Amino acid sequence: MKTLTVENLVKQFSLKVLTGVHNLQQPITQPRSHRPGLEFVGHFDFFPTERVQILGRKEINYLHKLSIDERQMRIGNIVKYHPPCFIVTARPEGLTYLTQYCIEENIPLLCTNEPETTSEFMMKLDSYMVKALAEEIAVHGVCVNVYGMGILIRGKSGVGKSETAHTLIGKGHRLVADDIVVLKKLSPRTILGTHDEKTKEFLSLRSIGLLNVVRLYGRKAFQDETRIALDIELKKWEKNSLNNELEHEQTFTDYMGVKVPHVEIQLQPGRDVAGLIEAAANNWLLKQQGYSAAEEFMKRLESEFN
């Protein structure tokens, strides 16, 4: 299982460390944070103790309305569960008991520096933790963003994946990763494609060499990550293997239990592979909107005979 540490959060969000400076290697295994609202009033049946605990203005204001003894008891009841850390997004002044308990239990108590709402911070924090803790694999291929859709282009070495990506970039689309594509499972239905940092912005073309697409074509030629919508496999032309069916039966490729629609494109001199990929992307988008060209064509034929 992948893990983060409290120190990763401190560095990522420039958090101020109030207590627990020697325990920043505390592991974080859950990708969602939690605001202990019900827990402050005594309901602990479903308290997610493994999550990062966030205290915002609502929680702080509630605690300040309590008597000193009651405030001490409420805070103590939560601290004893030893969550990975507490992050305060409001001014922590006056929470002496929280600081005291965190010191005694060696729990990191952190505070945001940027003036933002608790919900805004939690959105950024959860997004970061989901990606950092996501199950991931690396596949050989190219990842591009075409019309806002992530497309994974696969095929045997030398089949023309990078050259096709270069043509797509020339048409205004974006490179995400070349050669090694890192796939992250964000949910049971979502696969994110990204690079492995070493190959970021680079595209390798046979006979040309290594290109930095940002330096050559500008920032718009590159995108850091994208949700994978299509898995396209480039294959050498096989005689008599293609047919002219109105609509092919949809097939899928399984990545970490997530099924991604699969399209096979056979190569032959003169075929506009980049154009076919654009067509596949647009056709997929229309299908998501409930439109089928084959169904419309059949309806037209039926109307002719009726």
Side-chain angles (χ1 to χ4, degrees):
M1 178 182 293
K2 297 177 64 176
T3 61
L4 279 172
T5 65
V6 174
E7 186 176 24
N8 294 138
L9 301 188
V10 171
K11 293 179 178 179
Q12 178 67 25
F13 298 99
S14 301
L15 300 174
K16 183 179 179 181
V17 181
L18 303 178
T19 71
V21 66
H22 299 299
N23 199 26
L24 296 182
Q25 296 306 312
Q26 182 76 13
I28 298 170
T29 59
Q30 296 298 314
R32 303 288 182 185
S33 55
H34 176 70
R35 297 181 74 169
L38 290 175
E39 289 75 22
F40 275 133
V41 295
H43 296 281
F44 290 91
D45 291 345
F46 303 100
F47 183 31
T49 57
E50 301 86 1
R51 295 187 184 184
V52 173
Q53 303 298 314
I54 307 294
L55 301 182
R57 183 174 300 173
K58 291 180 180 179
E59 291 78 18
I60 301 299
N61 286 345
Y62 170 76
L63 290 171
H64 280 311
K65 291 179 180 179
L66 303 176
S67 66
I68 294 178
D69 290 340
E70 192 172 9
R71 187 188 312 163
Q72 181 179 9
M73 178 191 69
R74 303 279 190 196
I75 293 175
N77 286 340
I78 289 180
V79 171
K80 70 181 182 182
Y81 284 94
H82 285 267
C85 67
F86 290 95
I87 300 179
V88 179
T89 62
R91 298 179 63 182
E93 288 83 355
L95 292 180
T96 54
Y97 289 116
L98 177 59
T99 304
Q100 175 188 335
Y101 278 124
C102 287
I103 291 174
E104 292 175 357
E105 301 296 334
N106 198 24
I107 298 174
L109 174 61
L110 316 173
C111 182
T112 58
N113 288 310
E114 297 295 328
E116 58 186 338
T117 65
T118 304
S119 57
E120 289 174 342
F121 175 75
M122 289 183 69
M123 285 178 60
K124 294 195 300 185
L125 175 64
D126 288 355
S127 177
Y128 169 74
M129 293 193 296
V130 165
K131 293 175 184 177
L133 293 171
E135 178 186 357
E136 68 178 47
I137 59 173
V139 299
H140 178 65
V142 177
C143 184
V144 290
N145 184 279
V146 177
Y147 298 131
M149 289 171 277
I151 296 180
L152 179 63
I153 304 174
R154 297 184 299 109
K156 292 184 178 179
S157 181
V159 79
K161 300 182 295 296
S162 298
E163 289 83 353
T164 300
H166 183 258
T167 302
L168 289 167
I169 291 171
K171 291 186 169 195
H173 306 298
R174 296 179 175 182
L175 174 72
V176 176
D178 181 42
D179 191 31
I180 299 298
V181 181
V182 178
L183 300 180
K184 296 190 175 190
K185 180 180 179 180
L186 301 189
S187 76
R189 299 182 62 183
T190 305
I191 292 289
L192 188 76
T194 187
H195 50 79
D196 66 352
E197 291 294 339
K198 296 187 294 292
T199 60
K200 181 179 180 180
E201 301 176 358
F202 289 125
L203 182 68
S204 180
L205 297 178
R206 282 180 169 79
S207 302
I208 303 298
L210 200 62
L211 306 179
N212 186 310
V213 298
V214 172
R215 294 294 183 92
L216 280 176
Y217 305 113
R219 177 55 55 186
K220 62 181 176 58
F222 176 78
Q223 185 167 317
D224 199 55
E225 58 189 28
T226 186
R227 178 177 175 175
I228 301 297
L230 283 177
D231 174 71
I232 294 182
E233 184 178 7
L234 305 184
K235 300 185 71 173
K236 291 185 178 180
W237 185 274
E238 297 177 8
K239 190 175 181 179
N240 300 323
S241 65
L242 293 179
N243 53 60
N244 291 318
E245 294 178 1
L246 295 181
E247 190 167 40
H248 292 285
E249 181 179 353
Q250 183 66 72
T251 58
F252 298 88
T253 305
D254 188 291
Y255 293 110
M256 296 173 285
V258 180
K259 294 186 181 299
V260 179
H262 173 78
V263 175
E264 180 181 302
I265 296 178
Q266 291 195 11
L267 307 178
Q268 191 180 46
R271 290 201 95 191
D272 180 8
V273 179
L276 291 173
I277 289 176
E278 287 180 318
N282 278 325
N283 196 46
W284 177 86
L285 181 59
L286 287 174
K287 286 182 177 179
Q288 303 311 299
Q289 297 170 350
Y291 174 80
S292 169
E295 289 181 6
E296 182 178 353
F297 179 72
M298 292 304 298
K299 289 178 181 178
R300 291 183 184 182
L301 288 181
E302 291 173 3
S303 65
E304 287 289 330
F305 293 106
N306 292 334

